[in-house]
Amino acid sequence: MPRRKKLNSCIAESELEEECLSEIEIWQEKMCEAMDLAEGKCSQTRTNAFISLTNLLQKRVMLDFLLGQYETLSHLVERSLKKGHTNQEQIEAAHLLSVLVISLCQVQEAEQSTTDDNFSNIQSSSLYTAALNGFCLLMCVLTPNTLYTMAQSLLEEFYDLLGHNTVELRIQAGQGVALLYQLVRQHDNEFSWQQEECLCQLLQELTTDSHKYRAKRDRKEQRAWFRDVVHTLQNDDDENHMKCIEKVTVGPEHDREKVLLDTWCLKTQYKALCNVLGEGLNTHLTYNVGVRDVFNLGPPPDPQDHTHSPALSRSQKKINKLKESTVSKARQRTRKKNRDNKATDKTYQD
C-alpha cells in the first residue's frame, strides 16, 4: 500500500511539472492562439480575440516577442478598423492598437508601422472623447511656437465642447484648455484668448455645477478637474501651480516608485496610460523602457533581481511549493538515515 501511494504521488508530481509551463511560454501560447482567432470569419470571434490580446499585452512587457509579431498584429488591427462589421469590433481593435503602440514605444520603426492605420471608418460616438484625448497627447509633443499659431481656433473648439452633455467629453475639453494655455505660455507668458472672460465664467460655473440631473459622482469629478483648470488659467504662479501638482505611487507592491505629475503634459500622458493599460499600468511603468522615459523613472529594474520580479502566478507557486516539498522530504530522509546509523553505531559500541 505505501508503495502504491508513493507511485501515485510521483505520477502526480510529474504531471504537475509537465502541465505547469513557465509563465512566458504560457503567455506566448495564449498570444498565438488569440492571433489565430483574430483572423476568423465571425465578427464576435475577432472581437473576443482583440479583447484577449489587449489583456495579455497589458499584463506583460515582452518586447522580443512583439518585434517578431507586430506586423501581423498591426495588419489584423488595420483590417478590422477599415472593414469591421460592428462598432464593437472596431473599438476593441483601436484599443488593442493603443496598447500595442505603448508596448513598442521604445522601438521607433515598429511604432510608426502601427500608427499608420486608418480610423476614418469608425463612426461610434463613444470614440469622440478618445479622439480628443489623442489630440491632447499630440499637443504634448508639439512646440509651443506651433501651438501659439493654432491657439485661438483651438480654444474656440474647446469652448464649444465644454457645454457638451457628456461629462467625460467636458472634462477632456477642460484638460485641453489647461494644457494649451500651459504650453502656449512657454512661448508668450501673457497669452490670453480673445473671449477669455466668457471662458473663465463658464469654467467657474463648471467648478460649482450642482444640477441634480447629473450623477453625484460625475459632479464631484467634474468640479475637481475644473478647479485645477481654473488655477492654470489664473496664471501659473507658484501658489496656483502647487494646487495642480499630483503625486502618484506606481509599480509592484514590493518596489513602489513615486511619480510627480507637475505639468498638464504629464497629467495627460498618465491619464491616457491609465485608460489604455488598466490593471497593466504598474507592469508597464516598471518594465517598459519607453514609458519610464516619459516620466523620468530611469532604466527598468534588473529582471534577475528577485526584488523586482513580478508576482508569481498560481501555477508557478505550485511548482515552487512542490520543489520545496521534495527538498524537504529528501532532507528528512537523510537526517533519519543519519540518526539510524548513529543509533546502530552506538549499539555496537555498547
Side-chain angles (χ1 to χ4, degrees):
M1 190 71 177
R3 289 184 177 180
R4 182 176 297 178
K5 287 185 177 179
K6 184 176 181 180
L7 179 61
N8 291 338
S9 176
C10 292
I11 293 174
E13 291 176 1
S14 177
E15 290 178 350
L16 181 60
E17 290 177 351
E18 291 178 358
E19 292 177 0
C20 296
L21 302 174
S22 71
E23 281 192 73
I24 295 177
E25 291 174 329
I26 294 173
W27 184 88
Q28 291 178 349
E29 184 177 347
K30 289 181 177 180
M31 282 288 296
C32 292
E33 290 177 357
M35 288 168 63
D36 290 339
L37 292 174
E39 296 180 349
K41 296 181 179 180
C42 177
S43 177
Q44 187 59 50
T45 300
R46 294 195 298 270
T47 301
N48 293 337
F50 288 142
I51 294 174
S52 298
L53 288 168
T54 299
N55 292 336
L56 289 167
L57 290 177
Q58 287 175 337
K59 293 177 182 177
R60 187 171 289 276
V61 179
M62 291 292 295
L63 184 61
D64 293 338
F65 177 84
L66 287 179
L67 285 176
Q69 301 293 337
Y70 76 86
E71 290 184 354
T72 302
L73 286 168
S74 60
H75 171 71
L76 293 172
V77 168
E78 182 177 4
R79 186 180 64 179
S80 287
L81 288 174
K82 291 181 178 180
K83 302 178 181 180
H85 294 165
T86 64
N87 285 334
Q88 190 61 36
E89 179 185 346
Q90 293 178 317
I91 290 172
E92 297 302 338
H95 193 185
L96 172 60
L97 177 62
S98 299
V99 180
L100 185 59
V101 170
I102 291 173
S103 300
L104 295 168
C105 60
Q106 57 185 297
V107 183
Q108 185 175 0
E109 293 180 359
E111 182 182 357
Q112 181 62 37
S113 174
T114 55
T115 53
D116 286 338
D117 297 299
N118 184 0
F119 288 87
S120 60
N121 291 337
I122 299 178
Q123 301 297 329
S124 175
S125 59
S126 63
L127 292 179
Y128 289 151
T129 302
L132 182 56
N133 181 50
F135 184 76
C136 289
L137 287 172
L138 178 62
M139 288 200 300
C140 292
V141 298
L142 294 177
T143 63
N145 183 37
T146 301
L147 287 172
Y148 180 79
T149 62
M150 306 161 55
Q152 296 294 335
S153 60
L154 287 177
L155 284 168
E156 185 174 350
E157 295 185 24
F158 285 143
Y159 180 80
D160 292 337
L161 292 173
L162 289 173
H164 199 273
N165 57 6
T166 304
V167 63
E168 290 84 2
L169 190 53
R170 288 198 304 274
I171 291 175
Q172 188 61 63
Q175 293 173 9
V177 170
L179 175 63
L180 184 60
Y181 262 83
Q182 193 170 72
L183 292 173
V184 170
R185 280 177 176 167
Q186 295 178 17
H187 175 78
D188 180 4
N189 191 45
E190 301 298 327
F191 170 80
S192 63
W193 187 37
Q194 297 172 352
Q195 305 179 46
E196 186 167 305
E197 186 176 346
C198 297
L199 176 62
C200 291
Q201 182 179 352
L202 177 56
L203 292 174
Q204 287 289 355
E205 292 175 1
L206 291 170
T207 61
T208 58
D209 186 3
S210 59
H211 292 297
K212 298 300 181 182
Y213 61 83
R214 304 194 199 281
K216 183 177 180 180
R217 181 179 178 180
D218 290 347
R219 296 199 305 268
K220 183 178 180 180
E221 183 181 10
Q222 175 179 290
R223 289 195 292 263
W225 276 107
F226 278 100
R227 280 196 292 267
D228 288 347
V229 174
V230 170
H231 290 321
T232 300
L233 264 67
Q234 293 174 346
N235 287 319
D236 255 334
D237 55 28
D238 292 339
E239 180 181 356
N240 288 329
H241 181 59
M242 288 300 295
K243 293 178 182 178
C244 302
I245 289 179
E246 183 179 356
K247 297 179 182 179
V248 295
T249 305
V250 300
E253 293 183 3
H254 52 265
D255 188 24
R256 307 291 278 174
E257 297 179 87
K258 292 184 178 180
V259 178
L260 185 65
L261 306 179
D262 55 353
T263 67
W264 280 100
C265 274
L266 291 178
K267 282 188 175 184
T268 300
Q269 292 165 331
Y270 180 78
K271 182 185 175 185
L273 286 175
C274 291
N275 293 336
V276 172
L277 297 176
E279 295 180 357
L281 176 67
N282 284 336
T283 299
H284 281 263
L285 279 169
T286 304
Y287 301 105
N288 190 320
V289 175
V291 172
R292 291 180 66 84
D293 287 345
V294 171
F295 298 96
N296 297 318
L297 292 175
D302 185 357
Q304 300 300 325
D305 187 352
H306 70 278
T307 61
H308 297 286
S309 59
L312 296 176
S313 66
R314 185 177 299 178
S315 61
Q316 191 63 38
K317 288 180 180 178
K318 287 183 179 179
I319 293 176
N320 291 347
K321 187 175 181 180
L322 176 61
K323 290 179 180 178
E324 292 175 1
S325 176
T326 304
V327 172
S328 178
K329 288 179 181 178
R331 188 187 302 116
Q332 290 177 2
R333 285 196 295 267
T334 303
R335 288 177 177 175
K336 184 178 179 180
K337 183 177 180 180
N338 291 335
R339 283 197 298 268
D340 292 342
N341 292 337
K342 288 180 180 179
T344 303
D345 292 343
K346 186 177 181 181
T347 301
Y348 288 150
Q349 289 174 4
D350 293 342

